[in-house]
């Protein structure tokens, strides 16, 4: 539970690599997420190549911070063979939140950089990764040892709670 109240978006990273064993834990956390009808529409690209990371950082007006990360995860969703395809984006959202929480628990910083549902961003990421037509990019998640820290703001707002 500590990561829920500790995790913040980190956009600056030290050069230290993300350990392979930790990448596996990030992906295990992602794949532990719930999904509609247990369809698990996800596929994950693990990008360590600096040139590819640079290209990904240029796919959106908001993804420039990815250029400084030693690792970028690119969660994608399949478009074929799914039981409940219209819930794929929700399924990927749960998986990505798990990645962010696990990154924090392992001492890494990360940030969710939206790609879907913006068609131009999706096309740009698809081109960089040479994705098949049956796989759509959901977001970019740069991960690394934080070069910045800040406290999570208290977002609790009692006025948004309605008891019946």
């Amino acid at each position: 539970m500590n990561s829920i109240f500790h995790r913040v978006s980190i956009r600056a990273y030290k050069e230290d690599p993300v350990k392979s064993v930790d990448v596996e834990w990030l992906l295990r956390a992602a794949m532990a997420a719930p999904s509609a009808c247990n369809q698990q529409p996800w596929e994950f690209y693990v990008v360590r190549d600096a040139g590819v990371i640079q290209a990904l950082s240029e796919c959106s007006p908001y993804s420039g911070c990815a250029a400084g990360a030693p690792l970028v995860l690119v969660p994608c969703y399949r478009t074929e063979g799914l039981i409940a395809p219209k819930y794929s984006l929700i399924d990927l959202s749960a998986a990505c939140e798990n990645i962010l929480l696990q990154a924090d628990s392992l001492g890494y910083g990360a940030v969710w950089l939206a790609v879907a549902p913006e068609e131009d961003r999706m096309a740009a990421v698809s081109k960089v990764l040479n994705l098949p037509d049956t796989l759509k990019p959901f977001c970019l998640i740069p991960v690394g040892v934080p070069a910045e820290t800040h406290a999570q703001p208290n977002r609790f707002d009692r006025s948004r709670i309605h008891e019946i």
Side-chain angles (χ1 to χ4, degrees):
M1 293 295 286
N2 287 342
S3 287
I4 291 173
F5 299 108
H6 181 263
R7 188 216 63 80
V8 293
S9 295
I10 299 294
R11 293 178 175 84
Y13 312 93
K14 295 181 180 178
E15 292 182 13
D16 307 35
V18 177
K19 297 174 189 172
S20 293
V21 66
D22 292 340
V23 173
E24 182 173 327
W25 280 114
L26 294 172
L27 298 174
R28 284 179 175 276
M31 293 182 204
S35 69
C37 303
N38 198 30
Q39 67 182 346
Q40 303 174 38
W42 40 67
E43 304 281 334
F44 299 91
Y45 282 70
V46 177
V47 183
R48 293 183 187 271
D49 180 276
V52 176
I53 289 174
Q54 179 62 44
L56 289 171
S57 78
E58 298 169 4
C59 289
S60 160
Y62 307 103
S63 59
C65 65
L71 172 77
V72 175
L73 298 177
V74 185
C76 301
Y77 59 95
R78 294 186 308 279
T79 59
E80 294 182 347
L82 300 175
I83 299 166
K86 68 181 180 179
Y87 295 104
S88 293
L89 296 180
I90 296 168
D91 295 346
L92 267 287
S93 295
C96 291
E97 179 69 4
N98 281 7
I99 290 171
L100 296 174
L101 293 172
Q102 182 69 0
D104 181 79
S105 75
L106 293 171
Y108 295 106
V111 63
W112 178 330
L113 302 172
V115 173
E118 302 296 331
E119 292 293 334
D120 60 330
R121 296 179 197 173
M122 294 173 73
V125 172
S126 293
K127 183 176 180 180
V128 168
L129 297 178
N130 195 29
L131 297 179
D133 292 340
T134 58
L135 205 54
K136 301 298 179 191
F138 180 67
C139 70
L140 306 176
I141 304 178
V143 180
V145 175
E148 62 180 19
T149 58
H150 54 279
Q152 184 188 79
N154 180 357
R155 295 181 177 144
F156 183 79
D157 182 351
R158 194 169 298 281
S159 71
R160 294 183 180 212
I161 301 169
H162 310 279
E163 293 190 36
I164 299 175

